[in-house]
Amino acid sequence: DESELKAALIKSEQARREEQTRHAMELRAEQEGFVQKFQELQLQLEAATQLTNEQKLGVHEHHTREIQLERKRFEERIQSLQMRLETHEAVKVRIRREEHEKIAAQMEVERKVMDEKVRALEARCEANEARLKKYQSALVDHVESLNAITLD
């Protein structure tokens, strides 16, 4: 029962950790996608900035403003993802600590149960030893009485 419980706990812990790892990898992949898009936009912004003054007028100014706004949104999104990732990592650390504490508490309970079992076994051994001494004494008395009878 205890080993099944431990196995189930370990299995659920492994599944939860795999889910956390998968989630962290998804967040990192999403963040990398935003970083790549951000870099592309940055290149576009640099290209738009290099255009001559006449080309910057009109449509190009509008395009540059759009790129700057999109860049700002991506910077905010990247910052948000980084904060979520940091939070996720902190939660993983807290969960790991709590699980270690639970396991330590379980092990302490198991140790106390085992100590109690050892004490019970020691008490049974002492009782059995006392009975054995009583039986040995009775046997010696019986043998002596038989010897006394046969000597008569």
Side-chain angles (χ1 to χ4, degrees), residues 7 51 57-58 60 70 72 88 100 115 141 147:
L51 297 173
L57 297 174
H60 296 290
E70 198 168 345
K72 183 178 178 185
H88 179 74
H100 285 290
D115 288 348
D141 291 344
N147 286 338

Side-chain angles (χ1 to χ4, degrees), residues 29-43 74 78:
E30 187 177 353
Q31 182 180 6
E32 288 173 11
F34 282 115
V35 168
Q36 185 177 1
K37 180 68 176 174
F38 173 76
Q39 289 170 345
E40 290 171 12
L41 290 171
Q42 204 165 15
L43 289 174
F74 277 109
I78 288 169

Side-chain angles (χ1 to χ4, degrees), residues 14-126:
Q14 287 173 338
R16 191 186 56 69
R17 285 187 181 156
E18 288 171 4
E19 176 61 25
Q20 284 183 336
T21 301
R22 184 192 59 73
H23 183 63
M25 288 172 59
E26 288 173 358
L27 287 175
R28 284 190 183 105
E30 187 177 353
Q31 182 180 6
E32 288 173 11
F34 282 115
V35 168
Q36 185 177 1
K37 180 68 176 174
F38 173 76
Q39 289 170 345
E40 290 171 12
L41 290 171
Q42 204 165 15
L43 289 174
Q44 289 178 10
L45 179 62
E46 289 171 7
T49 304
Q50 291 174 0
L51 297 173
T52 62
N53 283 339
E54 292 111 24
Q55 292 172 321
K56 286 183 182 178
L57 297 174
V59 175
H60 296 290
E61 285 180 349
H62 178 71
H63 183 64
T64 300
R65 278 193 302 275
E66 284 179 351
I67 289 172
Q68 288 171 336
L69 287 174
E70 198 168 345
R71 176 182 174 185
K72 183 178 178 185
R73 283 195 304 270
F74 277 109
E75 286 173 341
E76 291 168 354
R77 182 68 176 143
I78 288 169
Q79 188 176 23
S80 169
L81 285 172
Q82 286 172 333
M83 288 171 55
R84 282 177 54 198
L85 188 60
E86 289 168 4
T87 301
H88 179 74
E89 294 296 328
V91 167
K92 276 177 44 180
V93 167
R94 179 184 52 80
I95 288 171
R96 251 187 259 130
R97 184 187 71 246
E98 289 171 355
E99 287 168 353
H100 285 290
E101 290 169 357
K102 283 181 194 173
I103 290 170
Q106 266 184 326
M107 290 175 74
E108 180 63 20
V109 167
E110 289 173 6
R111 186 192 61 77
K112 287 179 181 177
V113 167
M114 286 302 185
D115 288 348
E116 192 59 36
K117 287 180 181 178
V118 166
R119 280 192 288 281
L121 287 173
E122 287 172 344
R124 283 178 55 197
C125 284
E126 288 174 10

